[in-house]
Amino acid sequence: MLSCEEVVERASEYLDRDLGRWGRLKVRLHIAMCKHCNRYVLQLGLTTRLVRSRPADPLAPHVEDQLIESFRQAPPEA
Amino acid sequence: MIEPQSFEALLQGDEQAFRALIRRHHANMIAVAMRYVRERAAAEDVVQETWMAVFRGVAKLRDPAAVVGWIYAILVNKARTRGKRDRRTLTFSDLDADGGPSQPAVSPDRFAANGRWSNPPLPWDDIDPERIVGGRQIWAHLGAAIEALPPAQRAVIVMREIEGQDAASTCDLLGLSEANQRVLLHRARARLRQALEDIVAMKGDAPAADKT
Ligand SMILES: [Zn+2]
C-alpha cells in the first residue's frame, strides 16, 4: 500500500498515464480509499487544464509593431 | 500546432499571419529563453533575433506540424549562445537549481511521519473552470505563479502545457533527460496547484465585501 506522500509524488505520472499497470493500480487503490489524495489528484489535473486553457497575456503593442516593422524590412526568402 | 491555412499564409509572407504567430508565441519564447539568460532584456534580444531568423527561414519549411518545434530550436540555440557569452550559464544542474534532486514536489510538512496527510489539500469548490472563465483574477494569479516558477520548471511547463509539445520533443529541445523532464513537470504542476490553493485560502479569509 502506497503512503499519501508516495501517491502525491506519482500524481503527475498517474494523470499522464505514464505509470506501468501495477503502479497505476496501486495509485488507484489508494485514491479509492483516501479522499485527500483523491482530492489532490483531481486538483492537479484541474491545475493542468487551467494552465492549458489560460488565455495568453496580450503583447505590448509597441513590441508587436516593432517586430512587424523588422518583418517588412526582411521579408522571407522565396 | 499551426493550422494549414495559417501555414500557407506564413509561407506567402502574409503579415497578419506573422502577427498571429507573434501574439501566440512571443511571451512563451521569452519564458523559455530565460532558462538560459537570466536577464529579461537579454531574453528579449534573443527572442527578437529568433523572430528575424523565423521571418527569413519560414518559407523553407514543408510541415506545419514542425513550425513550433523549429522556432524553439532556433530560440534555444541562440539563447544558449547568449547565455554562454554573458557567462550566466549555470554550472550546476537544473534540478539543483530547482530545489535539489531529492526535494519532493509537495512540502514534507504536510505529511505525518507515517506518510499520511497531516495538512491535507483544501477543497476547491470555488475554482471551477466553467464558472471562472468570465473572471480574470484566476488567470492573472496563475500567470504570476507560472512566472514565479524556477526557470527550468517554467520552460518545461511552457513547452508541455502551453505550446503543446510532447515529452520527447521537449527533452530534445531543452536538452533534458526524460527523467528530469518528468520531475520538472511534476514539480511545476505541484507548485501551480499550491498557488491555486493559496488563492482559495485567501478568498476564504477575505471579507464579504471583496466577494463578487
Ligand atoms: Zn492518501
Side-chain angles (χ1 to χ4, degrees):
Chain A
M1 180 81 182
L2 295 175
S3 71
C4 298
E5 211 165 0
E6 289 168 324
V7 168
V8 162
E9 279 304 312
R10 289 161 175 74
S12 251
E13 284 170 274
Y14 176 75
L15 288 167
D16 293 343
R17 300 182 157 266
D18 280 344
L19 290 173
R21 245 172 99 188
W22 177 232
R24 189 168 174 75
L25 183 67
K26 284 197 287 185
V27 173
R28 282 179 95 147
L29 279 173
H30 182 106
I31 61 180
M33 292 187 296
C34 174
K35 68 169 184 185
H36 297 318
C37 285
N38 186 42
R39 181 184 285 164
Y40 185 86
V41 169
L42 288 174
Q43 289 179 351
L44 203 68
L46 176 58
T47 300
T48 301
R49 287 200 298 284
L50 288 172
V51 170
R52 288 178 186 163
S53 52
R54 183 177 168 271
D57 292 318
L59 206 56
H62 73 272
V63 173
E64 188 181 317
D65 291 343
Q66 224 174 316
L67 285 169
I68 288 297
E69 191 49 47
S70 39
F71 165 73
R72 285 179 188 144
Q73 286 162 15
E77 295 148 13
Chain B
M1 180 70 194
I2 307 273
E3 305 295 325
Q5 313 94 291
S6 322
F7 183 61
E8 272 310 308
L10 286 175
L11 294 189
Q12 284 158 22
D14 178 78
E15 199 175 291
Q16 286 311 315
F18 278 99
R19 274 192 194 274
L21 197 69
I22 291 166
R23 282 183 196 156
R24 181 150 164 193
H25 301 290
H26 190 81
N28 298 334
M29 290 161 71
I30 300 242
V32 171
M34 288 194 65
R35 174 173 175 231
Y36 302 93
V37 299
R38 296 295 153 94
E39 310 290 334
R40 168 95 195 180
E44 281 168 5
D45 287 351
V46 165
V47 172
Q48 188 169 352
E49 283 170 31
T50 303
W51 282 122
M52 298 301 121
V54 168
F55 299 156
R56 282 193 300 269
V58 75
K60 293 181 203 115
L61 292 182
R62 293 290 167 265
D63 178 8
V67 175
V68 176
W70 174 72
I71 293 175
Y72 278 94
I74 298 172
L75 174 78
V76 168
N77 194 20
K78 288 185 184 298
R80 217 177 244 142
T81 307
R82 174 66 183 257
K84 277 187 194 143
R85 205 183 78 199
D86 293 355
R87 295 172 196 224
R88 291 190 184 280
T89 305
L90 299 179
T91 50
F92 43 95
S93 79
D94 284 322
L95 286 178
D96 290 332
D98 284 356
S102 57
Q103 187 160 316
V106 174
S107 166
D109 305 350
R110 299 193 64 167
F111 299 95
N114 63 5
R116 286 182 189 235
W117 289 99
S118 56
N119 179 6
L122 297 175
W124 280 7
D125 306 329
D126 287 24
I127 302 196
D128 170 2
E130 264 67 55
R131 284 176 54 197
I132 49 98
V133 164
R136 295 193 151 202
Q137 193 193 4
I138 191 105
W139 299 134
H141 194 80
L142 194 56
I146 293 169
E147 206 170 318
L149 289 171
Q153 289 182 24
R154 188 179 173 203
V156 168
I157 210 114
V158 165
M159 294 312 294
R160 290 295 310 276
E161 316 283 35
I162 304 175
E163 292 290 11
Q165 297 291 299
D166 62 18
S169 67
T170 300
C171 288
D172 215 34
L173 288 166
L174 300 180
L176 295 168
S177 73
E178 212 186 301
N180 281 10
Q181 189 270 154
R182 209 184 302 129
V183 170
L184 290 166
L185 181 63
H186 179 57
R187 286 188 191 168
R189 285 174 177 168
R191 281 200 195 217
L192 298 176
R193 191 212 67 88
Q194 185 59 53
L196 293 174
E197 184 174 287
D198 294 344
I199 200 180
V200 171
M202 242 164 55
K203 271 188 166 177
D205 295 341
D210 279 352
K211 291 184 182 168
T212 44

